[in-house]
Amino acid sequence: MPSTDDTSSAMKPEAGSGPRTVRAPRGTTISCKGWQQEAALRMLMNNLDPDVAERPNDLVVYGGSGRAARSWAAFDAIVRSLRSLENDETLLVQSGKPVGIFRTFPNAPRVLIANSNLVPHWGNWDEFRRLEALGLTMYGQMTAGSWIYIGSQGIVQGTFETFAEAARKHFGGSFKGKFVATAGLGGMGGAQPSQFKCCSMSPSRSSTFSESSHSA
C-alpha cells in the first residue's frame, strides 16, 4: 500500500476551525492542481452555500442532519487536501474526514467517499449516535456527504413516479379532486407539491407537464 506520509499534514484538522460563510468559486481561475480536484472542491463548497444548505454553520446541508463534513476542522482539512492533490492521486474521505491520499493514476477517481458505514452487528442508531458524539462518524444523507446535493430537482422524477403509480393503482390514473397529507417539505420533500399537481391532471397531460416543467 502506498505511503501517505508526504501528504498527511494536509489532512490533519487544525484547532480553532469554526463556522463561516462558504461560497464556491466561480469562473475559470482554479485553486487546485487540476479541474477534477477543483470540481470536487466547488461541489463541497456549494453544498454549504447559505443559499443551498439548511444549517450551514452546523455543516448540515439537508434532511435535518445530513452533513457535508464531520466538523469545520475536517472541512478545512478536506479543502487543503483537495488543493494539494496531484493529478495522479486519490483522496479518501471517511464520514466527512480525509483519511488518506494514495498515488493512483490520472484516470482514477480523484476522490473516494464512504459515509456512515458500520459493521452490521453494530449497525444500530445507539451505536451510531455514540460514535457521532465522539466525532468518529457523521450522517451524510444521500447527497450531503457526497457533495452532490442539488435540492428538490434531484428527487423530482422519483417523486412524480411514486405519485403517478399510486394514482394509477388506486385512483384511475389521477389525483384530481383528492387531498394529500404530507410533512417535511424541505429541500427534498419540496418536490411533492408540484408533482402532486402533475398527477392531479389527466394521465396523458401529467406526464407531459412534468417533462416540460423540469426539462431545464
Side-chain angles (χ1 to χ4, degrees):
M1 181 177 292
S3 171
T4 60
D5 291 344
D6 59 332
T7 54
S8 59
S9 60
M11 295 183 294
K12 290 180 180 178
E14 291 182 353
S17 296
R20 83 295 302 254
T21 298
V22 175
R23 294 192 186 277
R26 270 69 168 173
T28 58
T29 300
I30 66 176
S31 62
C32 296
K33 295 184 177 182
W35 271 109
Q36 290 183 332
Q37 300 93 307
E38 182 74 15
L41 176 72
R42 294 187 183 194
M43 289 192 299
L44 167 64
M45 290 182 168
N46 187 69
N47 263 15
L48 293 172
D49 189 304
D51 292 334
V52 176
E54 284 184 2
R55 301 200 323 270
N57 284 350
D58 299 322
L59 298 163
V60 173
V61 182
Y62 77 100
S65 60
R67 294 181 179 177
R70 196 183 303 182
S71 64
W72 280 106
F75 168 82
D76 290 334
I78 292 171
V79 170
R80 289 196 305 274
S81 298
L82 288 170
R83 285 176 170 159
S84 67
L85 197 67
E86 299 291 344
N87 293 316
D88 61 350
E89 292 181 330
T90 296
L91 169 65
L92 307 182
V93 179
Q94 184 265 320
S95 293
K97 180 180 179 180
V99 294
I101 293 176
F102 294 91
R103 191 167 304 283
T104 50
F105 53 93
N107 289 333
R110 294 284 72 81
V111 183
L112 292 175
I113 298 175
N115 288 316
S116 311
N117 292 329
L118 292 176
V119 175
H121 181 75
W122 291 276
N124 56 71
W125 280 114
D126 288 341
E127 179 63 10
F128 177 83
R129 296 303 184 200
R130 185 184 74 83
L131 294 172
E132 186 180 43
L134 293 172
L136 298 176
T137 191
M138 74 166 196
Y139 187 50
Q141 281 282 1
M142 289 291 288
T143 57
S146 55
W147 315 340
I148 55 174
Y149 179 63
I150 57 173
S152 60
Q153 62 182 314
I155 201 66
V156 161
Q157 183 65 32
T159 302
F160 171 77
E161 295 296 344
T162 300
F163 277 147
E165 183 57 29
R168 283 192 292 266
K169 189 171 183 178
H170 300 290
F171 301 104
S174 173
F175 282 132
K176 186 175 182 179
K178 303 294 189 298
F179 291 91
V180 61
T182 186
L185 298 179
M188 300 293 272
Q192 293 183 40
S194 65
Q195 298 314 294
F196 180 78
K197 181 179 180 181
C198 289
C199 295
S200 298
M201 301 176 178
S202 66
S204 59
R205 286 190 63 211
S206 64
S207 179
T208 302
F209 180 85
S210 179
E211 292 172 5
S212 61
S213 295
H214 303 284
S215 60

